Amino acid sequence: MRTFDDILQIAAERHGGRDAALADIPAPLSPEEIAALPDARFLAAMARGIFQAGISWKVVDAKWPGITEAFHDFEPGPVSMIEGEALDALLSDRRVIRSGPKITAIRDNAVFILDTAAEHGSFARRIADWPVSEFDGLLDWLKRGGARLGGNTGAYMLRAVGKDGYVLSRDVVGRLIAEGVIDKAPTSRRAMAAVQGAFNLWAEQGGQPLTTISRVLARSIG
């Protein structure tokens, strides 16, 4: 397996230098900054990812103001009570993307957030306290506890709120395969543990956050 600096050099050669390979990569928030975020911010990020799955992201962007209004600014309390007539109304509301499974998933994730907050003080606090060295476990927790947060949806949600971590895009997976970490897109816990181990090693070598490592891996391919 190449060192992080070796992979950064590959990305630099593809994109016009090391500065270019590292450009436009946002710095993740600190745990305390994440803990200070309102839980509605997390539900909004979950909803955007759920709605974007399988359709044009531009469609979601265009509808987003109406979606936000229809979902009570993504306050988990009101959203958790969307059922019966309220659910029927949303299914015919032209402001939103009228997919029953996606709408009910957002409602179920509001419940997930409230349940987590009851145990940990806030959903944000739970996310903030999760060690980045165990990011694979955080992704698995979101997948198992939430609704439609598997695949890369949970990872994109975490990136949107500033949590340090990686997204297993096609290019990132391509670099992981090239380095012998995995032999195909990871779906098992064992494969995800191997991915986490590689990211942890690269973080030690390069002193960079996982977000930066993830972007550099992607740029070493694409």
Side-chain angles (χ1 to χ4, degrees):
M1 192 173 79
R2 292 176 178 87
T3 66
F4 175 73
D5 197 59
D6 290 338
I7 297 171
L8 175 56
Q9 185 59 35
I10 294 172
E13 291 170 358
R14 294 181 63 86
H15 292 274
R18 293 169 73 94
D19 289 345
L22 293 168
D24 304 321
I25 300 177
L29 300 182
S30 70
E32 287 310 309
E33 287 173 322
I34 292 174
L37 296 174
D39 284 351
R41 175 79 175 275
F42 292 85
L43 185 58
M46 291 176 185
R48 183 179 282 274
I50 289 168
F51 277 132
Q52 286 175 339
I55 68 172
S56 168
W57 290 19
K58 290 182 179 180
V59 171
V60 179
D61 288 342
K63 283 183 165 288
W64 194 247
I67 291 171
T68 300
E69 184 179 24
F71 280 89
H72 311 287
D73 293 323
F74 294 107
E75 290 297 332
V79 176
S80 71
M81 295 185 288
I82 294 175
E83 55 185 22
E85 292 182 0
L87 177 59
D88 291 340
L90 271 182
L91 290 171
S92 60
D93 193 329
R94 293 184 177 274
R95 293 175 298 174
V96 308
I97 295 164
R98 290 169 288 174
S99 164
K102 291 186 176 184
I103 290 171
T104 55
I106 294 166
R107 187 268 317 279
D108 292 346
N109 283 328
V111 175
F112 173 46
I113 286 173
L114 291 173
D115 289 346
T116 302
E119 184 176 354
H120 296 277
S122 72
F123 190 83
R125 181 81 262 174
R126 177 62 165 156
I127 298 298
D129 288 343
W130 205 292
V132 296
S133 61
E134 300 173 9
F135 190 73
D136 59 328
L138 176 54
L139 295 177
D140 186 64
W141 176 73
L142 288 171
K143 176 182 176 180
R144 294 177 182 277
R148 290 180 172 245
L149 297 180
N152 278 329
T153 302
Y156 276 119
M157 180 275 290
L158 293 169
R159 178 167 288 179
V161 300
K163 176 71 174 179
D164 190 22
Y166 46 80
V167 174
L168 296 177
S169 66
R170 181 180 61 184
D171 287 342
V172 172
V173 169
R175 175 50 59 190
L176 290 166
I177 292 173
E179 298 308 314
V181 177
I182 49 178
D183 58 10
K184 60 181 179 179
T187 56
S188 68
R189 289 189 179 185
R190 182 176 181 179
M192 286 299 296
V195 168
Q196 186 68 54
F199 270 92
N200 290 346
L201 179 58
W202 286 323
E204 292 176 10
Q205 293 172 344
Q208 296 284 357
L210 300 189
T211 300
T212 298
I213 296 168
S214 180
R215 291 287 187 91
V216 169
L217 263 61
R219 290 173 180 178
S220 73
I221 297 290

